[in-house]
């Protein structure tokens, strides 16, 4: 299972970025898609999730600033990040649990300067 993220980069505090993740149709269709992030020296934490039916959930630290969405026709999941803060700096990973295995993308770096 290959998940491919894109859209990271360097942005000033208060700015916005949109991350994208492409997944195989067989994996994407009926499964919850997740975004995680990992800052240097810290554990990887869940940022947002969206079920196959479109129900979303967010970490408290990003509520009101980040929006996760999915395009079922394109097998894509997105993370719109607004009002970015320096503490959002991390590698962001797309993830899915499929047949009892958790799959990860390669990660995309997001750096927010103050």
């Amino acid at each position: 299972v290959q998940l491919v993220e894109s859209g990271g980069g360097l942005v000033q505090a208060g700015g916005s970025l949109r991350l994208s993740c492409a997944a195989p149709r067989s994996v994407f269709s009926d499964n919850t898609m997740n975004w995680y992030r990992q800052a240097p020296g810290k554990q990887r934490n869940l940022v947002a999730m969206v079920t196959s039916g479109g129900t979303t959930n967010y970490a408290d630290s990003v509520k009101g600033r980040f929006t996760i969405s999915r395009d079922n026709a394109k097998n894509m999941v997105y993370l719109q990040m607004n009002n970015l803060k320096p503490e959002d700096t991390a590698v962001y990973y797309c993830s899915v649990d499929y047949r009892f295995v958790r799959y990860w993308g390669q990660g995309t770096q997001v750096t927010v300067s103050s």
Side-chain angles (χ1 to χ4, degrees), residues 6-108:
S6 60
L10 173 64
V11 65
Q12 289 187 332
S16 298
L17 284 173
R18 187 195 195 207
L19 306 183
S20 301
C21 172
R25 174 174 290 276
S26 59
V27 171
F28 184 88
S29 300
D30 298 319
N31 291 286
T32 296
M33 300 297 298
N34 310 292
W35 283 101
Y36 283 75
R37 68 185 180 188
Q38 186 169 21
K42 296 187 176 182
Q43 67 180 17
R44 193 173 297 186
N45 292 319
L46 181 66
V47 174
M49 57 184 293
V50 58
T51 68
S52 57
T55 300
T56 59
N57 199 11
Y58 299 91
D60 288 343
S61 59
V62 306
K63 282 181 180 176
R65 300 188 297 122
F66 290 13
T67 302
I68 189 171
S69 62
R70 62 192 292 157
D71 185 331
N72 291 331
K74 296 181 178 179
N75 303 320
M76 297 286 294
V77 61
Y78 306 99
L79 186 67
Q80 177 67 44
M81 305 185 295
N82 298 327
N83 190 22
L84 283 160
K85 304 176 180 181
E87 52 264 41
D88 295 318
T89 294
V91 178
Y92 284 70
Y93 297 91
C94 180
S95 173
V96 63
D97 293 342
Y98 179 65
R99 295 184 177 179
F100 309 108
V101 177
R102 179 160 293 173
Y103 293 93
W104 301 94
Q106 81 283 0
T108 185

